[in-house]
Amino acid sequence: MSISQPDAERRLLPRWRPSEATIFAGELASASTVEKEREPDAHFEERKLEWDRERSIEVAAELVASGIVLGRLNEVEPAVRMLADNASDANPSIRAVARRALGERAVAPPESLGLQPGRLDPTPVYSHISALRRHVHLHPRDAYAWVDLARLYTILGQTPSADRTIRVALELAPEDRFVLRSAARYLVHVDDPQAAQRLLNGARATRVDPWLIAAEISVAQVAKRRSVTASLGQRGLDHSQWAPRSSSELAGALGTLLLEDGAMQKARQLFRRSLEDPTENAIAQAQWASQQSLGLIVPAPLLNRPATYEARALRARLEGLWDAAIARSWEWTEFEPTSSRPLMMGSYVAGVVFGDGATVLEFAERGLYAEPHNASLLNNKAVGLAYLGRVSEAAIILAKVVIDTSPNFTQPALYATTGLLAFRGGNPVTGREFYERAASHPYTQRDRSVRILALWHLALEEARALTDQADAAVARAERASKDSKLAEVAALRKRLDEIKSKTTAQRDQ
Amino acid sequence: MPTAKDFLVGRTLSKGWKVTQKVTNPTGETGGHFSSGYLVESPTGKPHFLKAIDFEAAMRAKDPARALQALTEMFNLERDILNLSKSKRMSHVVTVIEDGTENVSVPDAPGGGPAQTVQYLIFELAHESLRHMVTVSKRLPMSQALKALHNVANGLRQLHGVQVAHQDMKPSNALRFVDGVFKVCDVGRASMKGRAAPHDGLSVAGERTYAPPELLYGQVDPDFVVRRLGCDAYLLGSLAAFLITGLPMTAMIIDELDSAARPTVWTGTYAAVLGQVRAAYARALDRVANDIPTEAPYREELLQCIRQLCDPDPDLRGHPVTRATLAGTGNVYDLERYISIFDRLALEAGIHERRKASR
């Protein structure tokens, strides 16, 4: 194996989406199941009587304003229609309000940065940054705008600017769910999950908000620390304290925690609960969990819900629908441009299944824009370059990574890539040695597929280099993958056949 | 069922006032659901406004004893505040001329019934209210609007000076008199520091349509200054927004909020929703800005005033210099600086309008 395997470990970290898209997705609603009682309002009744007496635009405007504030617009529809009418004397502001009330509001679509697959064009991101900077200049206390700005800086990998802006947001709204979840996600992004956990545990809101408890459990997992709020979250779930939508990610986060502890049955129950009224993130988590021998199947209709790009990419990979996996990875990239995970998935599929160096490079370089020091992405970029024959450039990229200090799960891939570069540089002995290190890395005890992939990639390189150990390497890879359900194996066999026919053709010439 | 206050027209009150007409759309105020407005003439023939309180209506409430007590307390508080404002010669609070009672027999009361008592207050008669000066299609010239804001801010500050918070400062409660001066009226929902009022227990004392967002979400600060004077500061800013857009700030903010975060639905704390309210507030302010001509000389300063006065966080509301100066010692919502600003901006707007007209 050369390419880093994506999603060896998935945590249910909050998605970092623009504020409007997060609101639109219903992720900032009250968590409680309690419904508010409507209070009688004598002024409103008076205004309705006045409207019955005098159907003027002035009275209509007041009645509609009251209807908006009191949540009783449905009772004043004729007044709304009068104001919305083009022929009325209503000024444009009031007419716009009335049209919105009639449902003519162009529902703000989730922000699109107009990002295209392939190399990142930063121009549209910069133009969004300019607009937001103007906005925060006018409205310096709008914490959501500061978070949105930090997100754009993060997309461009401008960490110092992102850091400054996210701290402004936290100063302005230290108890706000959106701000806290976004800031926690940012801190994980910059490899400081401990700070993310401290932040969440320092907020009073985390004691009562299932969305924040879910985030705390997940960042604690990333930080490899004990969650402070997991038991609180479990109690809340036991008492059905929160609406299913609000507790969806909490159930998924607790399920992941139990899955890690090997409590499969309880984990399965929690994942099922997380799917009662799930967010797309909870659906993706359940899809990931379903691949962990949990006996969980995510119902197909859930995968057809809007914005489930990640879940669909994971499912496509599982089913060996490789073109779909790449397409979904690009969609997921646009959906969550601050994350390197879709880019790792895309580059993985392009590299392992297709040996397509150019596409691997596109995904990896896009990811390195936001995370220039990400070991997996640097590894994948080196692979892409090597596949394109740019071995010396690949070596420079790979030299940026110190394998021993890289995360444990990335090390087999880094060893394998070192082996790949040695093979492509004409040194099969060294290449073999590094592939062996990858195949025997302690991590392979935990994840058998890593060993299978390492051995298959060694076999491919042996075959490509026409060494006398090629047939033995292939046989060994076949033995290792016996009974494996890993969909990549079939694709790797296909690549091997292609290499063999190509080398045969070259020999014949 | 008609009550005594419905039979006042044509009657000459014991103090010599002649009731000439019932007002359905008064240029005074009705001030609640237990009162009616009338035009009256003084013994010298000068027109005035009379507000009659209907104690009889309280008897039809679910709990008549409590309703009567509340109405009595409310009336007494209103009368005392008005008499205080009169004695302090508050130039921008409507002046009460007289108060009294009248026994009126109700013709079709069952059995003829005994005469019922009507309690009343007589005020100087206003020319019109801001509510009727600003129509949806025709806005007030900004010089006039800024003068109104200056006068209203003055009226509120005069009340604040005697520890009274108005709490219901909406367009219909700003009256213009023949001399062009605007005055604050209807102190029926006011609170006086140190004195209990029947509406003290309500999170929103005035009309909800105009109320500051923290009160709609049920965040009630125990401190008189924050809860009640902070409310007045917001209402002044909201009035400014109304004069520009035709809509109160509260309606604009809530219109910009996602339906799940609106106060009628939200069940969490105010702190937890404040981020969303603030984002909605920013968009509402953009709407206000869109309705002010870009070339207007007062544009930025007026927007700044609205931004400060309507801040959804009462702890950040008001003029920053005033806040910094008076923090911990006095009324951080003191409107003095806004009175100066509105006065100056009204002059600038007047000059701008005259220049524009002469072109």
Side-chain angles (χ1 to χ4, degrees):
Chain A
M1 184 197 63
S2 310
I3 296 271
S4 282
Q5 261 219 120
D7 284 326
E9 293 174 346
R10 189 189 194 277
R11 308 294 182 221
L12 222 166
L13 293 169
R15 286 266 194 243
W16 194 2
R17 302 274 300 127
S19 55
E20 281 218 24
T22 309
I23 291 168
F24 185 69
E27 293 179 15
L28 299 184
S30 304
S32 163
T33 48
V34 178
E35 279 190 28
K36 239 180 173 176
E37 273 183 38
R38 173 182 285 178
E39 294 177 53
D41 192 286
H43 289 104
F44 186 62
E45 300 308 326
E46 267 185 14
R47 287 201 196 292
K48 285 206 291 188
L49 290 174
E50 193 179 1
W51 167 249
D52 288 340
R53 283 196 305 270
E54 183 194 331
R55 301 228 157 191
S56 70
I57 289 184
E58 285 71 35
V59 177
E62 277 197 323
L63 186 60
V64 170
S66 293
I68 290 169
V69 174
L70 303 173
R72 296 172 70 175
L73 268 175
N74 56 332
E75 294 174 44
V76 297
E77 201 183 316
V80 176
R81 291 203 178 280
M82 177 187 266
L83 296 177
D85 188 350
N86 272 332
S88 81
D89 285 339
N91 71 37
S93 298
I94 292 176
R95 196 175 297 147
V97 167
R99 288 193 176 153
R100 274 213 286 208
L102 284 174
E104 290 173 29
R105 181 203 302 244
V107 175
E111 172 216 48
S112 169
L113 291 169
L115 302 176
Q116 301 295 320
R119 286 181 64 86
L120 177 70
D121 173 12
T123 317
V125 185
Y126 279 120
S127 94
H128 274 72
I129 286 177
S130 300
L132 270 175
R133 285 180 64 160
R134 278 196 301 277
H135 180 92
V136 295
H137 178 72
L138 286 172
H139 309 292
R141 290 176 183 163
D142 182 357
Y144 282 26
W146 284 104
V147 172
D148 288 343
L149 191 54
R151 178 176 161 274
L152 296 176
Y153 284 131
T154 306
I155 291 170
L156 296 178
Q158 296 181 9
T159 309
S161 301
D163 207 67
R164 271 197 306 277
T165 43
I166 204 85
R167 283 179 203 290
V168 173
L170 280 169
E171 282 287 319
L172 289 167
E175 295 289 327
D176 185 274
R177 183 191 301 163
F178 174 70
V179 174
L180 283 166
R181 277 167 59 92
S182 302
R185 183 65 189 82
Y186 165 76
L187 288 167
V188 172
H189 180 85
V190 295
D191 281 334
D192 199 353
Q194 292 84 1
Q197 195 188 7
R198 275 198 304 277
L199 172 73
L200 291 166
N201 284 326
R204 288 189 306 276
T206 307
R207 299 281 172 274
V208 293
D209 189 329
W211 297 88
L212 293 171
I213 296 173
E216 196 274 340
I217 293 168
S218 300
V219 298
Q221 276 185 292
V222 178
K224 302 204 183 307
R225 288 182 178 184
R226 202 178 140 269
S227 162
V228 176
T229 62
S231 55
L232 196 66
Q234 185 62 61
R235 271 203 302 279
L237 282 183
D238 292 343
H239 292 105
S240 299
Q241 204 172 320
W242 301 297
R245 176 74 168 180
S246 294
S247 55
S248 154
E249 293 196 8
L250 171 60
L254 284 168
T256 309
L257 200 62
L258 291 173
L259 180 64
E260 198 172 65
D261 291 345
M264 297 305 208
Q265 195 183 345
K266 280 187 179 172
R268 193 165 49 243
Q269 282 169 0
L270 281 163
F271 278 114
R272 286 195 179 128
R273 187 154 181 192
S274 80
L275 295 176
E276 280 176 18
D277 183 8
T279 63
E280 62 72 32
N281 199 7
I283 295 171
Q285 187 70 12
Q287 177 57 43
W288 170 83
S290 72
Q291 294 160 215
Q292 314 296 314
S293 314
L294 190 64
L296 178 78
I297 296 169
V298 177
L302 289 181
L303 295 173
N304 293 327
R305 288 197 175 187
T308 51
Y309 307 115
E310 181 184 355
R312 278 184 258 167
L314 293 173
R315 177 68 72 91
R317 179 193 163 192
L318 188 70
E319 293 175 349
L321 301 170
W322 306 116
D323 289 324
I326 287 188
R328 298 295 86 75
S329 295
W330 280 126
E331 288 167 355
W332 175 16
T333 302
E334 186 176 359
F335 179 68
E336 196 184 17
T338 52
S339 174
S340 57
R341 292 176 45 249
L343 302 156
M344 281 160 62
M345 167 72 89
S347 53
Y348 170 83
V349 174
V352 171
V353 175
F354 299 112
D356 176 357
T359 306
V360 172
L361 206 55
E362 277 182 344
F363 273 112
E365 287 188 335
R366 177 76 160 262
L368 287 166
Y369 219 108
E371 290 185 50
H373 307 295
N374 184 304
S376 295
L377 289 170
L378 286 167
N379 172 77
N380 293 2
K381 181 175 179 178
V383 172
L385 288 167
Y387 282 177
L388 291 170
R390 294 154 64 181
V391 180
S392 50
E393 284 176 68
I396 292 168
I397 296 298
L398 197 63
K400 292 180 181 177
V401 185
V402 180
I403 299 179
D404 291 344
T405 58
S406 295
N408 197 32
F409 67 91
T410 64
Q411 290 181 6
L414 290 163
Y415 282 127
T417 303
T418 311
L420 168 74
L421 299 193
F423 265 105
R424 301 285 170 124
N427 190 348
V429 177
T430 310
R432 213 167 283 139
E433 184 190 322
F434 276 96
Y435 270 114
E436 289 297 343
R437 279 202 210 179
S440 59
H441 190 276
Y443 189 77
T444 59
Q445 302 300 314
R446 196 170 144 184
D447 189 347
R448 182 188 166 209
S449 65
V450 175
R451 179 175 161 78
I452 295 171
L453 291 168
L455 292 176
W456 269 104
H457 280 85
L458 172 61
L460 292 179
E461 289 308 308
E462 297 278 15
R464 190 179 171 280
L466 296 169
T467 68
D468 54 1
Q469 297 189 28
D471 290 343
V474 172
R476 191 175 165 208
E478 286 288 7
R479 274 199 308 280
S481 47
K482 195 179 170 199
D483 300 331
S484 166
K485 289 178 185 162
L486 194 63
E488 285 87 328
V489 172
L492 286 161
R493 273 196 201 105
K494 198 173 158 202
R495 276 182 68 194
L496 180 70
D497 292 343
E498 284 166 5
I499 288 169
K500 279 182 176 170
S501 53
K502 203 184 274 180
T503 48
T504 310
Q506 279 169 354
R507 217 169 15 201
D508 292 347
Q509 280 172 8
Chain B
M1 186 194 290
T3 60
K5 70 172 173 45
D6 299 308
F7 296 96
L8 288 174
V9 177
R11 179 180 289 269
T12 300
L13 306 181
S14 53
K15 290 186 176 176
W17 298 91
K18 189 177 176 193
V19 183
T20 56
Q21 190 185 330
K22 189 168 184 189
V23 185
T24 51
N25 209 2
T27 51
E29 29 62 57
T30 57
H33 323 296
F34 296 109
S35 61
S36 300
Y38 295 87
L39 290 182
V40 293
E41 279 178 8
S42 69
T44 58
K46 196 176 171 194
H48 285 74
F49 176 76
L50 180 144
K51 176 179 175 177
I53 310 298
D54 188 358
F55 288 99
E56 207 56 40
M59 299 305 290
R60 294 196 300 272
K62 273 187 191 163
D63 186 346
R66 291 234 181 267
L68 199 58
Q69 184 191 10
L71 194 56
T72 307
E73 283 174 6
M74 203 184 298
F75 177 75
N76 284 335
L77 180 64
E78 182 174 7
R79 182 170 55 180
D80 292 349
I81 292 171
L82 287 167
N83 283 329
L84 182 63
S85 75
K86 189 177 179 182
S87 69
K88 296 277 181 188
R89 296 175 186 277
M90 291 184 190
S91 55
H92 291 87
V93 178
V94 73
T95 308
V96 63
I97 306 294
E98 190 155 324
D99 69 89
T101 54
E102 192 73 18
N103 290 323
V104 181
S105 57
V106 181
D108 54 356
Q116 295 174 4
T117 302
V118 172
Q119 191 101 33
Y120 63 83
L121 294 162
I122 294 176
F123 299 90
E124 54 184 333
L125 185 65
H127 182 59
E128 57 191 337
S129 83
L130 258 185
R131 182 193 176 199
H132 295 96
M133 291 173 76
V134 180
T135 67
V136 170
S137 50
K138 184 191 95 209
R139 285 178 222 170
L140 206 57
M142 272 318 286
S143 57
Q144 278 291 299
L146 285 158
K147 184 186 175 186
L149 287 172
H150 166 261
N151 288 183
V152 168
N154 239 317
L156 290 174
R157 187 164 188 266
Q158 287 171 343
L159 288 171
H160 294 178
V162 291
Q163 303 293 309
V164 170
H166 188 284
Q167 303 182 109
D168 199 18
M169 194 57 247
K170 54 191 177 186
S172 60
N173 286 340
L175 302 181
R176 189 168 74 104
F177 289 80
V178 279
D179 55 1
V181 172
F182 288 86
K183 293 186 185 184
V184 170
C185 72
D186 191 0
V187 290
R189 311 301 286 182
S191 283
M192 186 183 246
K193 192 175 181 183
R195 180 168 167 177
H199 46 260
D200 279 353
L202 303 173
S203 58
V204 179
E207 186 172 348
R208 298 182 81 83
T209 305
Y210 297 88
E214 74 272 13
L215 298 182
L216 291 176
Y217 284 98
Q219 177 179 284
V220 176
D221 195 295
D223 185 72
F224 178 85
V225 172
V226 178
R227 176 177 176 182
R228 305 200 184 276
L229 302 187
C231 170
D232 277 359
Y234 176 90
L235 293 173
L236 178 64
S238 177
L239 189 65
F242 172 84
L243 292 170
I244 295 163
T245 63
L247 286 167
M249 181 57 87
T250 310
M252 284 191 279
I253 294 173
I254 292 177
D255 187 47
E256 288 288 353
L257 270 173
D258 181 62
S259 57
R262 293 183 177 186
T264 45
V265 177
W266 184 260
T267 53
T269 63
Y270 186 55
V273 79
L274 184 56
Q276 289 190 73
V277 173
R278 201 171 267 299
Y281 177 56
R283 291 191 290 272
L285 279 173
D286 287 343
R287 281 202 213 173
V288 178
N290 286 339
D291 281 4
I292 306 178
T294 46
E295 75 281 2
Y298 49 80
R299 189 176 192 274
E300 294 310 320
E301 216 170 342
L302 178 56
L303 277 171
Q304 183 75 339
C305 291
I306 296 172
R307 181 177 295 120
Q308 293 166 355
L309 286 165
C310 291
D311 197 297
D313 184 349
D315 290 338
L316 297 171
R317 188 173 296 154
H319 200 285
V321 178
T322 306
R323 290 199 70 84
T325 315
L326 297 177
T329 58
N331 174 16
V332 289
Y333 306 105
D334 187 0
L335 301 173
E336 188 180 14
R337 286 175 198 277
Y338 294 110
I339 292 169
S340 307
I341 294 169
F342 291 145
D343 192 26
R344 178 167 46 77
L345 294 185
L347 289 171
E348 286 176 18
I351 295 166
H352 178 66
E353 284 159 12
R354 283 195 297 278
R355 279 189 188 151
K356 218 171 153 185
S358 66
R359 268 184 224 139

